[in-house]
Amino acid sequence: MAICTYKAIDLFRWLTKKEDIVILDVRNPKDFSRFHIESPYPFELHNVSYYDFMEAEEESVARVPSGRSVRIICAKEGSAKYVAEILDKHGFTD
């Protein structure tokens, strides 16, 4: 997986162009329940907490769809980078 950073405007563009991406939100369930990414079109969204990846890496990776581009979001960039490194280690590609 090519690990790269992006800005909110990039995510907005991908969603409004209906690109075939999976959004992986790694915030904890409480924060996830307070706010979700929105789009004018349907998109695939998964919430697997950063802590889940820390505690049960294999099971957490198995919950992420493979074979498609994954965009990871979090409250702060560090958690997303951590999860991106794990997915990269498990053979996810961009």
Side-chain angles (χ1 to χ4, degrees):
M1 168 176 182
I3 299 174
C4 60
T5 60
Y6 61 89
K7 297 180 184 224
I9 191 70
D10 298 321
L11 182 60
F12 175 77
R13 182 173 32 86
W14 295 324
L15 292 173
T16 57
K17 288 186 175 184
K18 300 181 187 178
E19 292 200 21
D20 186 28
I21 60 174
V22 174
I23 306 297
L24 175 60
D25 190 326
V26 297
R27 294 176 298 152
N28 66 56
K30 182 178 177 182
D31 290 338
F32 180 75
S33 69
R34 291 180 183 170
F35 172 76
H36 296 147
I37 297 297
E38 297 177 352
S39 171
Y41 307 106
F43 65 97
E44 190 169 348
L45 173 67
H46 295 269
N47 176 233
V48 183
S49 169
Y50 161 80
Y51 297 108
D52 291 344
F53 281 94
M54 288 176 40
E55 295 174 2
E57 183 175 309
E58 297 291 328
E59 294 86 357
S60 298
V61 169
R63 294 173 56 192
V64 180
S66 59
R68 295 177 51 206
S69 293
V70 177
R71 301 295 183 258
I72 305 168
I73 62 169
C74 66
K76 297 184 179 179
E77 188 176 4
S79 298
K81 283 184 177 182
Y82 175 80
V83 172
E85 290 170 359
I86 289 173
L87 294 180
D88 183 53
K89 180 175 77 173
H90 285 272
F92 278 73
T93 58
D94 185 30

